[in-house]
Amino acid sequence: MKNILKTIVLSIAILIYVSPLSQACTGIKLKAEDGSYVYGRTLEWGAFDLNSKMVVVPQGHQFKGLTPEGRNGKDYQSKYGFIAVTAFGDDVLADGMNEAGLAGGGFYHPGYANYPAYDKKKADNTISAQDILTYMLGNFKDVAEVKKGLLEVNVTGVILESVGLELPGHWMMSDATGATVVIEFTNGELKMYDSNVGVITNAPNYDWHLTNLSNYLNLTPHPQNPVEINDIAIKPLGAGSGFLGLPGDNTPVSRFVRATAYAHTSRKTTDAKEAVYELFRILDNFNLPLGPDGGEGANADHFDNSLRSTTLWTSAANINDLQYSYHTQHNRRVRMIDLKEIDFSNIGEEIIYLELDEKKEQDIEKIKL
């Protein structure tokens, strides 16, 4: 009996500890009428400032995989140069795009991510969850290569010191053909889902989110027609009646439904440049305020009130034009890096780190009369 009670108490303690560490990030993909694609996402975290940086990784940079024993994992070089944004330290990448047009990011997947057990004998072919986005952006040119290449490497869980547990992640990757894959590790097995929906949030598993969409078949961008009851006309009170029943809370389940509805009823865009405008507009709906329940990563006893928002930054990858744009909690001005202007074979051997904000304040244009 004591052992049972001990197990229950321990389980509750783990849930209390782990549950505040889930990010409320939202990712979507859009297609323009000219056949080009853009991918983008928000990144939320309220417990402390992630101090994210932009990194520029040259071709041929040498990496070594992380294992529970340390940096004794797989040796590999970056075949492709890429840019990315860090989180939880300079070695953990959250989002990015490479020079071949592969773009995507990692999203928190608490309570569901479970990696294969570490095998010391296979250390030389092992990387950690912290390494996986680096590995994909550096080695693969498209989703087809991602799906093949991940079957040839071992991925294991390693404690992330800043949060004190294995990084519970899943990933969405897209390329210039429109192919998109969601990558998860469930019960120690690699799962890869072709994602025609092109949306990702957090827990639970991706296939569950797809099933849940069946509960919202009534949603439409068109207004509801009036209904007559005993000669009384019941009319919509205003615009937006087509989305009656759309969940408005900030849970991962509701955000997945909302992101799918917005992405697949968005206005038509002529090209990728215009699609980036639409992408940022949609993602604005997922900005979360600072506070104990404004976004996950914080709780009533602790949230970082030095931040201005739980949404630390928002990004947009113009995959076909190889342009990566972003804005931050401090400065809503959109900044863009054009990967075509970077000679990744001739920028040196070391990773270049750039601050996302030169100044942590809004860039405001003063209008003179």
Side-chain angles (χ1 to χ4, degrees):
M1 186 67 180
K2 286 184 178 180
N3 288 336
I4 294 175
L5 288 173
K6 183 178 180 181
T7 301
I8 292 172
V9 172
L10 180 60
S11 298
I12 292 173
I14 290 172
L15 286 172
I16 291 172
Y17 179 64
V18 172
S19 60
L21 293 174
S22 51
Q23 284 178 311
C25 308
T26 303
I28 61 173
K29 179 188 72 173
L30 297 179
K31 181 181 180 180
E33 289 187 307
D34 67 355
S36 55
Y37 293 89
V38 299
Y39 148 85
R41 56 93 54 83
T42 65
L43 185 137
E44 278 78 31
W45 186 254
F48 50 84
D49 194 344
L50 293 179
N51 293 309
S52 294
K53 295 183 177 64
M54 182 71 68
V55 299
V56 184
V57 180
Q59 293 177 10
H61 185 78
Q62 189 71 37
F63 291 95
K64 195 169 186 65
L66 179 66
T67 80
E69 298 179 288
R71 285 287 174 188
N72 66 322
K74 184 178 180 65
D75 284 311
Y76 62 95
Q77 287 185 328
S78 53
K79 180 178 180 181
Y80 301 101
F82 62 90
I83 65 170
V85 185
T86 66
F88 299 111
D90 292 350
D91 294 331
V92 182
L93 304 186
D95 198 71
M97 179 168 63
N98 71 17
E99 60 181 324
L102 178 68
F107 297 76
Y108 243 50
H109 201 211
Y112 290 84
N114 183 263
Y115 305 101
Y118 174 55
D119 185 345
K120 292 183 179 181
K121 297 179 182 178
K122 299 179 180 179
D124 61 356
N125 192 41
T126 297
I127 61 174
S128 71
Q130 288 91 310
D131 299 319
I132 194 167
L133 185 59
T134 303
Y135 188 74
M136 291 189 292
L137 292 175
N139 285 279
F140 307 132
K141 71 176 184 294
D142 55 28
V143 167
E145 287 195 358
V146 167
K147 293 163 68 175
K148 179 178 182 294
L150 288 183
L151 294 173
E152 299 171 351
V153 66
N154 303 312
V155 177
T156 193
V158 176
I159 297 295
L160 182 63
E161 292 184 3
S162 58
V163 295
L165 60 129
E166 290 183 0
L167 180 66
H170 62 168
W171 296 261
M172 186 167 85
M173 306 299 293
S174 298
D175 65 27
T177 71
T180 302
V181 63
V182 170
I183 301 146
E184 297 183 343
F185 291 87
T186 306
N187 297 324
E189 294 184 10
L190 170 64
K191 303 285 187 180
M192 291 187 281
Y193 303 94
D194 291 323
S195 176
N196 294 324
V197 172
V199 169
I200 190 170
T201 56
N202 312 104
N205 290 330
Y206 180 74
D207 54 349
W208 187 97
H209 282 291
L210 293 182
T211 301
N212 185 53
L213 291 179
S214 297
N215 291 316
Y216 299 93
L217 297 176
N218 60 299
L219 298 179
T220 169
H222 305 289
Q224 297 288 349
N225 293 320
V227 175
E228 285 195 6
I229 300 178
N230 295 330
D231 297 328
I232 298 175
I234 310 298
K235 301 178 181 180
L237 294 175
S241 61
F243 278 153
L244 277 173
L246 183 70
D249 60 81
N250 292 325
T251 63
V253 170
S254 295
R255 284 184 289 104
F256 191 98
V257 174
R258 201 157 66 248
T260 301
Y262 291 158
H264 290 273
T265 61
S266 60
R267 68 182 176 92
K268 296 184 183 300
T269 53
T270 55
D271 54 25
K273 182 179 179 180
E274 195 64 25
V276 168
Y277 278 93
E278 187 68 1
L279 186 79
F280 276 126
R281 183 196 66 78
I282 293 172
L283 290 176
D284 277 346
N285 291 279
F286 299 91
N287 288 342
L288 299 181
L290 188 66
D293 196 34
E296 297 182 77
N299 57 54
D301 296 322
H302 174 74
F303 61 93
D304 188 346
N305 59 14
S306 70
L307 302 174
R308 289 182 165 121
S309 169
T310 298
T311 303
L312 303 187
W313 46 265
T314 302
S315 65
N318 178 340
I319 297 174
N320 297 78
D321 294 330
L322 296 179
Q323 295 175 341
Y324 190 87
S325 303
Y326 69 93
H327 60 69
T328 74
Q329 62 168 320
H330 301 296
N331 188 353
R332 297 275 292 175
R333 180 181 184 180
V334 174
R335 285 142 283 176
M336 185 267 285
I337 294 180
D338 192 332
L339 276 70
K340 299 187 302 298
E341 296 180 355
I342 303 173
D343 184 354
F344 287 98
S345 66
N346 193 33
I347 57 172
E349 299 179 354
E350 299 303 317
I351 297 175
I352 300 171
Y353 292 88
L354 305 171
E355 297 292 337
L356 292 186
D357 295 299
E358 290 185 9
K359 293 182 179 180
K360 291 184 177 181
E361 60 184 44
Q362 180 62 47
D363 180 7
I364 298 176
E365 180 183 0
K366 184 176 180 180
I367 305 300
K368 296 181 179 180
L369 300 180

